[in-house]
Amino acid sequence: MRHLLQTGSAIRRVWEQGLQLKALHGAEAVADMTLGNPAAPPPAALVEALGQIVAESPADLHLYTPNAGHPEVREQLAAHLHERGLLPGARREHVVMTCGASAAINIALRSVLEPGDEVLILAPHFPDYPAHVLNHAGKPVIVPVGEDFLPDLGMIEAALGERTRVLIVNHPNNPSGRQYPPSLIEELATLLRGASQRARRPIYLLSDEPYRELRFIREPFVSPARLYEYGLMAYSFSKSHSIPGERIGYLAINPGHPEAKELVRALSLANRILGFTNAPSLWQRVIARCLDAVVDLEPLRRHRDRLVTALADKGYDVLAPEGTFYLFPRTPGGDDEAFVQRALDQLLLVVPGGTFGRAGHFRIAFCVDERTAALAAERLPHATVGGRA
Ligand code: PLP
């Protein structure tokens, strides 16, 4: 833990520096773009469902649920995954309710890793993945994606070894905002299928997809978990329903898994013994009534467009995100830590790319209100000092 404390996330560090700046200059003066903590209110359907359920107050509302979740909620979720084509053939017994995506990832790793097994993580990546792997005596192996932020199959193939047990993928990606094309996912599944056969044990594809409803492009989203019999889907309602503090999500497995029953038993047991016990009972019921609801994407689209324009005008090299609420421009001059300090001087809080395993970039979280988005666009320093990125 001392090691993790020392190498810990820069997101919190910058956010805490920001608290000092806010105390000094007033919160209104600071454009805080650090956390993926959405400012948008939850969808109206969710607020309504919450009111209804509290009013109905079924007798078991506040009790323990089965470790895998309320059976009828799992049933509804499986039907939703099947009908939307996200996981065709999904049934209740393929879904385990969890305390968000973080718990889904942890129960998955707990269930499939043996000590010393390697987990490939595509960088840039959500900063907590390596720690999640270490929680279960696994070994994180970082594999960079290409310059275009798409997975490089050659690099993945080169990183596969005898101990590889899992590949974690996350699209639309935090922090790059990239959505992966279906053909690339097909190729990835083919690669893992071949490698599993050669290794004579399955290599899992853990697809972490909390941003799949937050997309700005027409191309359909395809879950990597759908195309591969050893695919696992980690989902969270934190972002699509703007309720990160309520801790609700799920882990679903590909229905073609040859030992589906045993795996789901393991996942349910992991839920209990890792101390999650079960996903919050009240929120399981709420979410089951508003599965198709999603936060209003229009404000996010406006912030994205405004910031992409401001970045381009000021000389930054940036890809317009296809999904998520993050931007990941190149850092002018290349030194992300120095740039983040320079931005702090302008009362703009952003996060260095190094914390996501890709130095030379910085992350802007634009899940903020209108005023803060406008302030951030204004505060961005010109990318001229140190040359164009
Ligand atoms: N995975 C990714 C890619 C994330 O960005 C986040 C949160 O920001 C999580 C997982 C954790 O989500 P949850 O709140 O559901 O634990």
Side-chain angles (χ1 to χ4, degrees), residues 108-386:
L109 295 173
R110 179 70 179 84
S111 298
V112 304
L113 288 185
E114 289 173 50
D117 274 352
E118 292 179 358
V119 177
L120 307 190
I121 296 170
L122 302 181
H125 59 81
F126 177 54
D128 285 352
Y129 291 153
H132 290 328
V133 173
L134 293 170
N135 283 346
H136 309 290
K139 187 175 161 211
V141 176
I142 308 295
V143 183
V145 298
E147 282 294 302
D148 54 3
F149 293 118
L150 291 178
D152 177 330
L153 297 183
M155 296 281 273
I156 295 173
E157 194 163 15
L160 288 168
E162 273 177 18
R163 297 305 308 264
T164 309
R165 184 55 125 180
V166 180
L167 166 66
I168 303 181
V169 293
N170 160 229
H171 90 111
N173 180 264
N174 172 11
S176 74
R178 249 315 192 172
Q179 175 173 308
Y180 300 166
S183 57
L184 183 64
I185 301 171
E186 295 266 12
E187 288 177 65
L188 198 55
T190 306
L191 176 70
L192 294 187
R193 201 169 280 126
S196 299
Q197 273 159 12
R198 282 191 299 280
R200 293 215 191 88
R201 62 172 205 163
I203 298 172
Y204 283 87
L205 180 55
L206 174 54
S207 170
D208 179 27
E209 41 198 73
Y211 300 98
R212 73 169 184 233
E213 304 301 332
L214 307 186
R215 292 183 300 110
F216 309 111
I217 56 170
R218 280 173 190 276
E219 280 72 25
F221 169 88
V222 172
S223 172
R226 176 187 139 181
L227 300 179
Y228 183 50
E229 51 283 15
Y230 293 103
L232 308 173
M233 175 191 284
Y235 188 74
S236 169
F237 296 96
S238 294
K239 317 288 174 172
S240 57
H241 290 64
S242 234
I243 48 168
E246 308 299 356
R247 314 308 303 135
I248 185 79
Y250 59 87
L251 193 281
I253 71 165
N254 184 294
H257 190 290
E259 292 170 297
K261 204 168 169 184
E262 190 176 26
L263 177 58
V264 171
R265 284 182 62 214
L267 293 164
S268 310
L269 178 61
N271 227 3
R272 192 178 93 223
I273 65 178
L274 290 176
F276 302 118
T277 306
N278 57 249
S281 168
L282 167 67
W283 286 98
Q284 289 186 47
R285 294 216 187 275
V286 173
I287 224 63
R289 291 199 189 178
C290 55
L291 286 172
D292 288 319
V294 88
V295 288
D296 184 3
L297 291 185
E298 277 320 301
L300 288 180
R301 192 185 293 277
R302 273 201 306 277
H303 302 344
R304 164 192 180 260
D305 293 349
R306 182 201 286 265
L307 286 160
V308 168
T309 306
L311 284 158
D313 287 350
K314 292 186 181 188
Y316 290 81
D317 180 359
V318 66
L319 259 173
E322 294 164 323
T324 75
F325 38 56
Y326 304 113
L327 284 146
F328 200 55
R330 256 186 221 278
T331 311
D335 181 343
D336 28 302
E337 288 290 343
F339 176 81
V340 166
Q341 291 309 314
R342 199 173 136 209
L344 273 173
D345 294 342
Q346 306 294 318
L347 304 187
L348 169 65
L349 310 184
V350 294
V351 184
T355 204
F356 304 93
R358 179 68 75 105
H361 290 75
F362 63 101
R363 191 190 75 171
I364 302 176
F366 59 85
C367 48
V368 293
D369 59 27
E370 211 75 46
R371 199 193 60 83
T372 311
L375 196 59
E378 197 185 296
R379 292 278 162 80
L380 270 168
H382 281 271
T384 42
V385 191

